Amino acid sequence: MPRSRKGRERRVAGNPRISRRTVLRGSAGVAFGAASLGVLPLFSTPDRQQDPKECRSEDRSADDKRLLVSNWPGYMDEDDGDYVSTLTEFSRRTGIDVRYTADVNDNLEFFAKVVNQLGSCQSSERDLFMLTDWMAARMIQVGWIQPLDPAKVPNLHANLIDSLTGVGWDPDRTYSAPWQTGLTGIAYNKAKVKEVRSFSELLSRPDLRGRISLLTEMRDTMGLALLAEGADPADFTDAEWERAMERLRKARRDGQVRAFTGNEYIQDLAAGNIVACEAWSGDVAAAEDENLVFVTPEEGQMIWSDNMLVPNLSPHKANAETWINYYYEPEVAAKLAAYVWYICPVKGAREAMEKVDPSLVDNPLIFPTEESAATTHSFMALEEFQIRAYEGDFADVAGG
């Protein structure tokens, strides 16, 4: 989710890098509203269901050394002088030519890009993409994702940290591999405003009116809103949901919220267009701006993972599995974590970090302590009717 200042597309293995911005500034709320309303009926429509065994193409990996990857911005280290990125090293080691595009700005926005293709057994023109737990679960449920060959991803099964094994929507990690795990809290610009300590403050403090942003990710924003109401995001009632929604509606009506955004909020925070916001943990570190501060809200914070998925009709599935296996090497995982500053999902990476950057071995944003982990909360699994109702409620506020 998931996240940084720029999206980058680059072709590796000898060709020049091309950079471009991928975020849609100023239209995030409208785009979110349209995507949300569109997503609700489609997952449960029978003709959108696919059988991965039937909806597949010939794997050309052995003869076609290419890989097309879609990911969130700020999720990859970059070549810099003598520093060789993990992506470039992957291509050098394997001979696989990677087209890496940071075009995932929001789960629902990305869903809108691929729904017509994946829902009708057509190619999404991607071999691998990274989506947050709940969206990964829904795509797996409707049969849009190819199962991974365990023999080709042994590092995944040997090195995945225990807390990410046995998830209900993919208990054996048959279809998914966590890329990075992160925290959702709040951030503020200390050069523009005094400390913001809680989500409740964010939604109500007079000096923040019209100067904050919230995330278009429903489970992040409503998770914090539920915590502010004293509810458990992992097990809440309709009445608790409605109270949290009313608090959000009031903040919107009162002009407290400037915008609901995807990944682009960090630029506005640095520029002072907003002075505080809901934020993902790695973004503030990636901004390298001493005035930007990430805070664990007094109410608690949300935890999530973005997951590597191989969609139906990928013609380079084995190449994608080679990529997954490579990024589950502890040394590679540590090198990447030192750049992106998200929670590393790979066992042994903390020990490997001793050589990569010893100053990060005890960084709780990468390797959480028990105390830090105790402040985290997950969002409960939703039934189809709940998804429709809750996403619809949230879209009405965020898109309005």
mmCIF file of all heavy atoms in Angstrom, residues 203-230:
data_model
loop_
_atom_site.group_PDB
_atom_site.id
_atom_site.type_symbol
_atom_site.label_atom_id
_atom_site.label_comp_id
_atom_site.label_asym_id
_atom_site.label_seq_id
_atom_site.Cartn_x
_atom_site.Cartn_y
_atom_site.Cartn_z
ATOM 1 N N LEU A 203 -9.295 14.336 13.305
ATOM 2 C CA LEU A 203 -10.647 14.580 12.793
ATOM 3 C C LEU A 203 -11.343 15.776 13.425
ATOM 4 O O LEU A 203 -12.429 16.161 12.960
ATOM 5 C CB LEU A 203 -11.514 13.337 13.000
ATOM 6 C CG LEU A 203 -11.142 12.072 12.229
ATOM 7 C CD1 LEU A 203 -12.202 11.002 12.445
ATOM 8 C CD2 LEU A 203 -10.947 12.345 10.750
ATOM 9 N N SER A 204 -10.761 16.374 14.448
ATOM 10 C CA SER A 204 -11.543 17.384 15.173
ATOM 11 C C SER A 204 -10.786 18.645 15.565
ATOM 12 O O SER A 204 -11.419 19.649 15.899
ATOM 13 C CB SER A 204 -12.143 16.751 16.435
ATOM 14 O OG SER A 204 -11.120 16.309 17.315
ATOM 15 N N ARG A 205 -9.467 18.640 15.559
ATOM 16 C CA ARG A 205 -8.745 19.804 16.065
ATOM 17 C C ARG A 205 -8.961 21.028 15.168
ATOM 18 O O ARG A 205 -8.747 20.944 13.942
ATOM 19 C CB ARG A 205 -7.248 19.492 16.184
ATOM 20 C CG ARG A 205 -6.727 19.719 17.583
ATOM 21 C CD ARG A 205 -5.328 19.248 17.754
ATOM 22 N NE ARG A 205 -4.346 19.967 16.939
ATOM 23 C CZ ARG A 205 -3.060 19.646 16.912
ATOM 24 N NH1 ARG A 205 -2.609 18.625 17.642
ATOM 25 N NH2 ARG A 205 -2.214 20.321 16.162
ATOM 26 N N PRO A 206 -9.372 22.153 15.716
ATOM 27 C CA PRO A 206 -9.692 23.333 14.899
ATOM 28 C C PRO A 206 -8.538 23.827 14.035
ATOM 29 O O PRO A 206 -8.762 24.268 12.898
ATOM 30 C CB PRO A 206 -10.099 24.382 15.940
ATOM 31 C CG PRO A 206 -10.606 23.584 17.098
ATOM 32 C CD PRO A 206 -9.736 22.367 17.139
ATOM 33 N N ASP A 207 -7.310 23.750 14.548
ATOM 34 C CA ASP A 207 -6.187 24.271 13.756
ATOM 35 C C ASP A 207 -5.837 23.374 12.574
ATOM 36 O O ASP A 207 -5.027 23.747 11.722
ATOM 37 C CB ASP A 207 -4.950 24.475 14.643
ATOM 38 C CG ASP A 207 -4.448 23.173 15.238
ATOM 39 O OD1 ASP A 207 -5.267 22.347 15.676
ATOM 40 O OD2 ASP A 207 -3.207 22.973 15.264
ATOM 41 N N LEU A 208 -6.466 22.190 12.486
ATOM 42 C CA LEU A 208 -6.220 21.274 11.367
ATOM 43 C C LEU A 208 -7.328 21.328 10.317
ATOM 44 O O LEU A 208 -7.237 20.647 9.298
ATOM 45 C CB LEU A 208 -6.092 19.833 11.888
ATOM 46 C CG LEU A 208 -4.998 19.559 12.924
ATOM 47 C CD1 LEU A 208 -5.024 18.093 13.335
ATOM 48 C CD2 LEU A 208 -3.626 19.956 12.390
ATOM 49 N N ARG A 209 -8.348 22.128 10.553
ATOM 50 C CA ARG A 209 -9.522 22.126 9.665
ATOM 51 C C ARG A 209 -9.121 22.491 8.232
ATOM 52 O O ARG A 209 -8.486 23.502 7.978
ATOM 53 C CB ARG A 209 -10.578 23.104 10.170
ATOM 54 C CG ARG A 209 -11.857 23.112 9.323
ATOM 55 C CD ARG A 209 -12.995 23.811 10.025
ATOM 56 N NE ARG A 209 -13.393 23.067 11.225
ATOM 57 C CZ ARG A 209 -13.620 23.631 12.405
ATOM 58 N NH1 ARG A 209 -13.484 24.945 12.551
ATOM 59 N NH2 ARG A 209 -13.991 22.889 13.430
ATOM 60 N N GLY A 210 -9.512 21.614 7.314
ATOM 61 C CA GLY A 210 -9.209 21.820 5.901
ATOM 62 C C GLY A 210 -7.771 21.571 5.535
ATOM 63 O O GLY A 210 -7.365 21.824 4.391
ATOM 64 N N ARG A 211 -7.000 21.027 6.465
ATOM 65 C CA ARG A 211 -5.555 20.872 6.247
ATOM 66 C C ARG A 211 -5.084 19.438 6.477
ATOM 67 O O ARG A 211 -3.903 19.192 6.711
ATOM 68 C CB ARG A 211 -4.791 21.831 7.170
ATOM 69 C CG ARG A 211 -5.248 23.283 7.054
ATOM 70 C CD ARG A 211 -4.656 24.140 8.160
ATOM 71 N NE ARG A 211 -3.245 24.447 7.929
ATOM 72 C CZ ARG A 211 -2.426 24.924 8.852
ATOM 73 N NH1 ARG A 211 -2.877 25.125 10.094
ATOM 74 N NH2 ARG A 211 -1.173 25.199 8.568
ATOM 75 N N ILE A 212 -6.019 18.475 6.445
ATOM 76 C CA ILE A 212 -5.652 17.073 6.615
ATOM 77 C C ILE A 212 -6.129 16.262 5.420
ATOM 78 O O ILE A 212 -7.015 16.679 4.673
ATOM 79 C CB ILE A 212 -6.234 16.463 7.913
ATOM 80 C CG1 ILE A 212 -7.746 16.205 7.760
ATOM 81 C CG2 ILE A 212 -5.945 17.344 9.119
ATOM 82 C CD1 ILE A 212 -8.310 15.238 8.771
ATOM 83 N N SER A 213 -5.538 15.080 5.259
ATOM 84 C CA SER A 213 -6.036 14.118 4.278
ATOM 85 C C SER A 213 -6.163 12.753 4.942
ATOM 86 O O SER A 213 -5.467 12.449 5.915
ATOM 87 C CB SER A 213 -5.104 14.031 3.060
ATOM 88 O OG SER A 213 -3.858 13.467 3.409
ATOM 89 N N LEU A 214 -7.078 11.964 4.418
ATOM 90 C CA LEU A 214 -7.279 10.583 4.846
ATOM 91 C C LEU A 214 -7.074 9.674 3.650
ATOM 92 O O LEU A 214 -7.072 10.127 2.496
ATOM 93 C CB LEU A 214 -8.683 10.404 5.428
ATOM 94 C CG LEU A 214 -9.037 11.284 6.629
ATOM 95 C CD1 LEU A 214 -10.488 11.063 7.042
ATOM 96 C CD2 LEU A 214 -8.105 11.012 7.813
ATOM 97 N N LEU A 215 -6.935 8.386 3.907
ATOM 98 C CA LEU A 215 -6.638 7.434 2.845
ATOM 99 C C LEU A 215 -7.906 6.884 2.197
ATOM 100 O O LEU A 215 -8.925 6.696 2.859
ATOM 101 C CB LEU A 215 -5.802 6.280 3.399
ATOM 102 C CG LEU A 215 -4.405 6.669 3.882
ATOM 103 C CD1 LEU A 215 -3.760 5.515 4.635
ATOM 104 C CD2 LEU A 215 -3.524 7.113 2.718
ATOM 105 N N THR A 216 -7.808 6.596 0.911
ATOM 106 C CA THR A 216 -8.928 5.996 0.190
ATOM 107 C C THR A 216 -9.099 4.514 0.510
ATOM 108 O O THR A 216 -10.082 3.906 0.090
ATOM 109 C CB THR A 216 -8.740 6.148 -1.326
ATOM 110 O OG1 THR A 216 -7.473 5.595 -1.699
ATOM 111 C CG2 THR A 216 -8.816 7.601 -1.746
ATOM 112 N N GLU A 217 -8.139 3.942 1.227
ATOM 113 C CA GLU A 217 -8.249 2.543 1.627
ATOM 114 C C GLU A 217 -9.233 2.436 2.795
ATOM 115 O O GLU A 217 -8.936 2.847 3.921
ATOM 116 C CB GLU A 217 -6.892 1.979 2.029
ATOM 117 C CG GLU A 217 -5.909 1.865 0.879
ATOM 118 C CD GLU A 217 -6.280 0.754 -0.095
ATOM 119 O OE1 GLU A 217 -6.949 -0.218 0.317
ATOM 120 O OE2 GLU A 217 -5.908 0.864 -1.277
ATOM 121 N N MET A 218 -10.408 1.871 2.533
ATOM 122 C CA MET A 218 -11.476 1.832 3.539
ATOM 123 C C MET A 218 -11.026 1.167 4.824
ATOM 124 O O MET A 218 -11.297 1.650 5.924
ATOM 125 C CB MET A 218 -12.704 1.123 2.968
ATOM 126 C CG MET A 218 -13.903 1.061 3.915
ATOM 127 S SD MET A 218 -13.909 -0.378 5.033
ATOM 128 C CE MET A 218 -14.491 -1.662 3.931
ATOM 129 N N ARG A 219 -10.338 0.046 4.722
ATOM 130 C CA ARG A 219 -9.974 -0.709 5.921
ATOM 131 C C ARG A 219 -8.941 0.025 6.767
ATOM 132 O O ARG A 219 -8.903 -0.154 7.978
ATOM 133 C CB ARG A 219 -9.496 -2.105 5.517
ATOM 134 C CG ARG A 219 -10.655 -2.997 5.043
ATOM 135 C CD ARG A 219 -10.173 -4.103 4.124
ATOM 136 N NE ARG A 219 -11.283 -4.917 3.666
ATOM 137 C CZ ARG A 219 -12.097 -4.575 2.659
ATOM 138 N NH1 ARG A 219 -11.928 -3.423 2.022
ATOM 139 N NH2 ARG A 219 -13.084 -5.372 2.283
ATOM 140 N N ASP A 220 -8.114 0.829 6.158
ATOM 141 C CA ASP A 220 -7.172 1.643 6.929
ATOM 142 C C ASP A 220 -7.903 2.765 7.654
ATOM 143 O O ASP A 220 -7.771 2.929 8.875
ATOM 144 C CB ASP A 220 -6.107 2.230 6.003
ATOM 145 C CG ASP A 220 -5.058 1.216 5.600
ATOM 146 O OD1 ASP A 220 -4.871 0.226 6.328
ATOM 147 O OD2 ASP A 220 -4.418 1.397 4.555
ATOM 148 N N THR A 221 -8.646 3.563 6.897
ATOM 149 C CA THR A 221 -9.301 4.728 7.486
ATOM 150 C C THR A 221 -10.363 4.329 8.499
ATOM 151 O O THR A 221 -10.422 4.871 9.608
ATOM 152 C CB THR A 221 -9.920 5.594 6.378
ATOM 153 O OG1 THR A 221 -8.879 6.039 5.501
ATOM 154 C CG2 THR A 221 -10.641 6.808 6.953
ATOM 155 N N MET A 222 -11.198 3.364 8.151
ATOM 156 C CA MET A 222 -12.250 2.964 9.073
ATOM 157 C C MET A 222 -11.698 2.138 10.230
ATOM 158 O O MET A 222 -12.287 2.114 11.316
ATOM 159 C CB MET A 222 -13.347 2.206 8.333
ATOM 160 C CG MET A 222 -14.154 3.082 7.383
ATOM 161 S SD MET A 222 -14.808 4.581 8.190
ATOM 162 C CE MET A 222 -15.872 3.854 9.448
ATOM 163 N N GLY A 223 -10.566 1.473 10.018
ATOM 164 C CA GLY A 223 -9.924 0.787 11.141
ATOM 165 C C GLY A 223 -9.539 1.773 12.229
ATOM 166 O O GLY A 223 -9.818 1.559 13.415
ATOM 167 N N LEU A 224 -8.931 2.899 11.828
ATOM 168 C CA LEU A 224 -8.559 3.920 12.807
ATOM 169 C C LEU A 224 -9.788 4.605 13.394
ATOM 170 O O LEU A 224 -9.814 4.942 14.584
ATOM 171 C CB LEU A 224 -7.632 4.950 12.171
ATOM 172 C CG LEU A 224 -6.246 4.446 11.740
ATOM 173 C CD1 LEU A 224 -5.396 5.601 11.236
ATOM 174 C CD2 LEU A 224 -5.527 3.715 12.865
ATOM 175 N N ALA A 225 -10.817 4.800 12.563
ATOM 176 C CA ALA A 225 -12.050 5.417 13.069
ATOM 177 C C ALA A 225 -12.732 4.513 14.097
ATOM 178 O O ALA A 225 -13.267 4.989 15.103
ATOM 179 C CB ALA A 225 -12.994 5.718 11.910
ATOM 180 N N LEU A 226 -12.718 3.221 13.861
ATOM 181 C CA LEU A 226 -13.292 2.279 14.818
ATOM 182 C C LEU A 226 -12.491 2.285 16.124
ATOM 183 O O LEU A 226 -13.071 2.261 17.215
ATOM 184 C CB LEU A 226 -13.330 0.873 14.216
ATOM 185 C CG LEU A 226 -14.421 0.642 13.168
ATOM 186 C CD1 LEU A 226 -14.091 -0.555 12.282
ATOM 187 C CD2 LEU A 226 -15.784 0.433 13.843
ATOM 188 N N LEU A 227 -11.174 2.321 16.018
ATOM 189 C CA LEU A 227 -10.350 2.396 17.223
ATOM 190 C C LEU A 227 -10.654 3.673 18.008
ATOM 191 O O LEU A 227 -10.692 3.654 19.247
ATOM 192 C CB LEU A 227 -8.870 2.357 16.851
ATOM 193 C CG LEU A 227 -8.313 1.002 16.406
ATOM 194 C CD1 LEU A 227 -6.912 1.163 15.819
ATOM 195 C CD2 LEU A 227 -8.299 0.009 17.563
ATOM 196 N N ALA A 228 -10.888 4.771 17.298
ATOM 197 C CA ALA A 228 -11.215 6.028 17.969
ATOM 198 C C ALA A 228 -12.544 5.945 18.707
ATOM 199 O O ALA A 228 -12.782 6.680 19.673
ATOM 200 C CB ALA A 228 -11.255 7.166 16.947
ATOM 201 N N GLU A 229 -13.420 5.036 18.284
ATOM 202 C CA GLU A 229 -14.701 4.818 18.959
ATOM 203 C C GLU A 229 -14.602 3.771 20.061
ATOM 204 O O GLU A 229 -15.606 3.431 20.699
ATOM 205 C CB GLU A 229 -15.758 4.374 17.941
ATOM 206 C CG GLU A 229 -16.232 5.475 17.021
ATOM 207 C CD GLU A 229 -16.986 6.557 17.773
ATOM 208 O OE1 GLU A 229 -17.748 6.227 18.695
ATOM 209 O OE2 GLU A 229 -16.791 7.752 17.453
ATOM 210 N N GLY A 230 -13.402 3.233 20.261
ATOM 211 C CA GLY A 230 -13.220 2.193 21.272
ATOM 212 C C GLY A 230 -13.613 0.816 20.801
ATOM 213 O O GLY A 230 -13.734 -0.110 21.610
#
